[in-house]
Amino acid sequence: MHEKTCFCGNLNIKTPAKPLLHFVCHCKDCDALWNGLYMGFVFPTDEIKLSGDQRNYSYEAGSGLKLEIDFCETCGTRMASRPEIVDGLTYVPAGLLKNEIEFTPHVEIFAYNKYNWVGNASSLKESFNHNGTVERISAIIEAMASDS
Ligand SMILES: [Zn+2]
Ligand SMILES: [Zn+2]
């Protein structure tokens, strides 16, 4: 298990030790929301514990379904997000757990919108030009789980 707080310490998050998947999103929403690209770990939602006074923001993601972000209303740190398209999974920003889990991306999505300076990580198993289908991503998560 890992335990971290937001920048100001008001929010606390507990995650399992090992993520199901490490992924990068290069979409235009992430350009605006996450300053260029999103690096995240995927965990089962029911194994994440977020406590403190969090705020939520949700918007319609590229999938046409909702994506909800939990953030600290004091310092603005975004702690977790939940995509409706993969119900039961929560994304946690890789930077939050940088010293706990080495980020080695397995999947990238919306690669068409990738910065030119970002290369191809040797850990990448799949690169999708747009949204990877839920089926493909689920298959990768299962393959990851059987690796360990
Ligand atoms: Zn905070
Ligand atoms: Zn994105």
Side-chain angles (χ1 to χ4, degrees):
M1 196 207 62
H2 303 292
E3 183 168 5
K4 301 296 283 190
T5 67
C6 64
F7 190 71
C8 77
N10 277 350
L11 295 188
N12 178 286
I13 191 166
K14 294 190 180 91
T15 75
K18 199 176 179 300
L20 301 171
L21 192 74
H22 303 200
F23 84 102
V24 178
C25 183
H26 303 284
C27 82
K28 291 180 175 170
D29 291 340
C30 291
D31 283 344
L33 285 164
W34 302 94
N35 192 28
L37 77 170
Y38 177 79
M39 301 183 289
F41 297 122
V42 180
F43 293 105
T45 300
D46 57 9
E47 292 176 35
I48 298 270
K49 263 215 177 88
L50 183 63
S51 50
D53 272 336
Q54 80 256 30
R55 296 276 305 265
N56 308 95
Y57 172 70
S58 59
Y59 65 98
E60 191 183 305
S63 59
L65 294 170
K66 260 187 15 183
L67 205 144
E68 186 175 39
I69 302 177
D70 301 323
F71 62 98
C72 173
E73 64 178 353
T74 305
C75 69
T77 305
R78 286 150 302 178
M79 303 295 279
S81 52
R82 282 172 307 279
E84 206 173 54
I85 193 167
V86 282
D87 196 30
L89 298 180
T90 290
Y91 304 158
V92 175
L96 208 57
L97 294 164
K98 189 172 184 176
N99 298 314
E100 285 72 25
I101 306 170
E102 189 187 352
F103 184 69
T104 54
H106 307 125
V107 176
E108 65 177 4
I109 58 178
F110 294 98
Y112 84 91
N113 191 41
K114 189 169 169 171
Y115 277 113
N116 287 329
W117 62 263
V118 175
N120 289 308
S122 58
S123 56
L124 270 187
K125 303 209 184 302
E126 293 271 5
S127 171
F128 298 99
N129 229 353
H130 289 272
N131 206 351
T133 66
V134 173
E135 289 73 24
R136 297 284 300 280
I137 290 173
S138 303
I140 296 163
I141 289 177
E142 272 165 40
M144 293 286 132
S146 57
D147 270 1
S148 56

